[in-house]
């Protein structure tokens, strides 16, 4: 599995504060430009949406969060170019009547889709440990590497799309797709470029900032200590005796069949 040169923006989170735009009442301002969620809004907090972006306004700030790829294309199977990113930011700013290019960038995701030959979860066993990250597998279809500022995710993109849209049935002409994403929260975003310690919405349109995101995602993937794709390929020093070798053979068999269940069925059939 290789990372191709198709990493592009996905989810972003932008925050505008009273300090940046003094004299504005965010809650009153935003009501006229979004679809307000009345059940979760009151005089001090307004929540709503604009297309696939969520908007939350308080007296102190306003937060805008959503997928740029889905905003531009309707899905994140297709990537977003820098010019499309710039246009999307301008469109959101125009709709909300707010200078989102000045907003604090508190989250940014970059990701890509990888067409593979087998079910995505079969590849997770070969993606090993990553220093300073905790490794977790959720529901057998998502692999997470997490720390305080960054989350890396590998998941079954087609399965996710089917859950979101039951009518989807592999309409893109393929069945097995791994989605790779790197999600950075504010501290992780700020650490990307020393020349830009306080990234804003405008940073998303900066080629240098994008290149730093791209390099970070590629470096993180390269840093995963991969497990050899052939479980029977090992150093002689790793094997203490014949039992160790047999244990490896059993583990290898268990990757492909339910060995214990198969043996029980065979013995049960023999007895019958």
């Amino acid at each position: 599995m290789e990372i191709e040169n198709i990493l592009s923006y996905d989810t972003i989170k932008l925050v505008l504060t009273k300090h940046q735009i003094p004299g504005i009442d965010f809650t009153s301002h935003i009501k006229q430009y979004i679809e307000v969620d009345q059940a979760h809004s009151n005089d001090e907090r307004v929540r709503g949406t604009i297309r696939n972006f969520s908007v939350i306004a308080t007296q102190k700030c306003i937060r805008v969060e959503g997928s740029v790829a889905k905003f531009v294309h309707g899905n994140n199977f297709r990537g977003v170019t820098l010019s499309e990113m710039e246009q999307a930011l301008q469109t959101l700013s125009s709709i909300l009547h707010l200078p989102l290019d000045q907003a604090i960038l508190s989250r940014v995701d970059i990701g890509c889709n990888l067409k593979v030959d087998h079910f995505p979860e079969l590849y997770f066993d070969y993606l090993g440990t990553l220093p300073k990250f905790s490794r977790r597998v959720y529901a057998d279809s998502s692999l997470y590497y997490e720390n305080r500022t960054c989350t890396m995710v590998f998941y079954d993109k087609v399965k996710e799309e089917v859950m979101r849209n039951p009518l989807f049935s592999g309409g893109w002409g393929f069945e097995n797709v791994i989605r790779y994403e790197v999600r950075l929260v504010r501290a992780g975003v700020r650490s990307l470029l020393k020349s830009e310690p306080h990234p804003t919405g405008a940073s998303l349109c900066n080629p240098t900032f994008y290149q730093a995101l791209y390099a970070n995602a590629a470096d993180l993937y390269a840093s995963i200590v991969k497990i050899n794709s052939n479980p029977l390929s090992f150093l002689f020093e790793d094997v203490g005796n014949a039992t160790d070798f047999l244990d490896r053979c059993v583990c290898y068999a268990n990757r492909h069949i339910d060995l214990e269940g198969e043996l029980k069925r065979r013995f049960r059939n023999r007895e019958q």
Side-chain angles (χ1 to χ4, degrees):
M1 188 167 60
E2 297 179 356
I3 299 297
E4 300 176 16
N5 188 21
I6 54 174
L7 283 160
S8 70
Y9 290 118
D10 196 0
T11 298
I12 61 171
K13 182 177 180 180
L14 299 168
V15 181
L16 275 170
T17 67
K18 279 280 191 179
H19 177 73
Q20 295 167 293
I21 312 179
I24 188 173
D25 184 339
F26 285 124
T27 55
S28 298
H29 172 86
I30 205 63
K31 287 180 181 179
Q32 54 192 318
Y33 303 122
I34 66 173
E35 184 176 344
V36 177
D37 180 357
Q38 299 292 349
H40 296 90
S41 300
N42 51 46
D43 293 338
E44 298 181 351
R45 180 185 178 91
V46 175
R47 176 179 293 182
T49 57
I50 171 174
R51 286 164 62 175
N52 66 297
F53 271 79
S54 68
V55 180
I56 298 176
T58 67
Q59 298 297 321
K60 296 182 179 180
C61 69
I62 183 167
R63 298 190 291 272
V64 181
E65 183 173 10
S67 167
V68 179
K70 292 177 181 177
F71 185 80
V72 174
H73 300 300
N75 61 69
N76 59 359
F77 273 90
R78 294 177 58 189
V80 177
T81 65
L82 287 181
S83 61
E84 288 173 332
M85 178 67 248
E86 185 174 7
Q87 182 60 52
L89 191 66
Q90 291 175 356
T91 300
L92 282 168
S93 297
S94 177
I95 293 173
L96 297 175
H97 292 75
L98 292 169
L100 294 182
D101 59 324
Q102 300 175 25
I104 299 166
L105 183 61
S106 64
R107 172 183 170 177
V108 59
D109 296 3
I110 190 170
C112 64
N113 301 298
L114 305 169
K115 183 180 177 182
V116 292
D117 296 327
H118 308 290
F119 292 117
E121 52 266 32
L122 294 180
Y123 294 85
F124 296 165
D125 286 342
Y126 304 114
L127 293 171
T129 58
L130 180 63
K132 300 181 180 179
F133 283 75
S134 61
R135 185 185 191 277
R136 304 175 189 270
V137 177
Y138 294 102
D140 294 328
S141 61
S142 300
L143 171 61
Y144 283 71
Y145 294 92
E146 301 168 297
N147 67 16
R148 187 175 58 86
T149 63
C150 175
T151 299
M152 295 172 62
V153 189
F154 297 87
Y155 64 88
D156 187 330
K157 179 59 184 170
V158 174
K159 182 180 290 187
E160 185 240 19
E161 194 67 23
V162 170
M163 291 179 64
R164 192 174 67 89
N165 176 16
L167 297 178
F168 174 82
S169 59
W172 276 269
F174 42 78
E175 297 181 355
N176 301 315
V177 178
I178 293 178
R179 176 73 178 174
Y180 170 52
E181 292 179 1
V182 174
R183 305 168 181 175
L184 297 175
V185 295
R186 188 175 180 185
V189 177
R190 293 179 64 178
S191 67
L192 283 173
L193 282 178
K194 291 182 179 179
S195 60
E196 202 166 353
H198 302 289
T200 63
S203 303
L204 294 168
C205 309
N206 182 348
T208 303
F209 183 79
Y210 165 75
Q211 289 164 8
L213 271 172
Y214 178 96
N216 180 64
D219 288 347
L220 284 171
Y221 176 79
S223 298
I224 297 173
V225 181
K226 315 296 190 302
I227 298 172
N228 196 301
S229 59
N230 180 0
L232 295 181
S233 176
F234 50 84
L235 294 175
F236 181 76
E237 288 79 5
D238 294 336
V239 180
N241 50 46
T243 302
D244 287 348
F245 178 75
L246 291 176
D247 287 343
R248 286 179 177 269
C249 291
V250 171
C251 290
Y252 178 75
N254 277 325
R255 287 177 181 269
H256 300 277
I257 61 173
D258 177 12
L259 188 60
E260 183 178 359
E262 183 67 21
L263 286 172
K264 287 180 179 179
R265 285 190 290 273
R266 294 296 180 94
F267 281 120
R268 185 169 58 249
N269 290 341
R270 187 179 69 178
E271 291 170 0
Q272 293 173 352

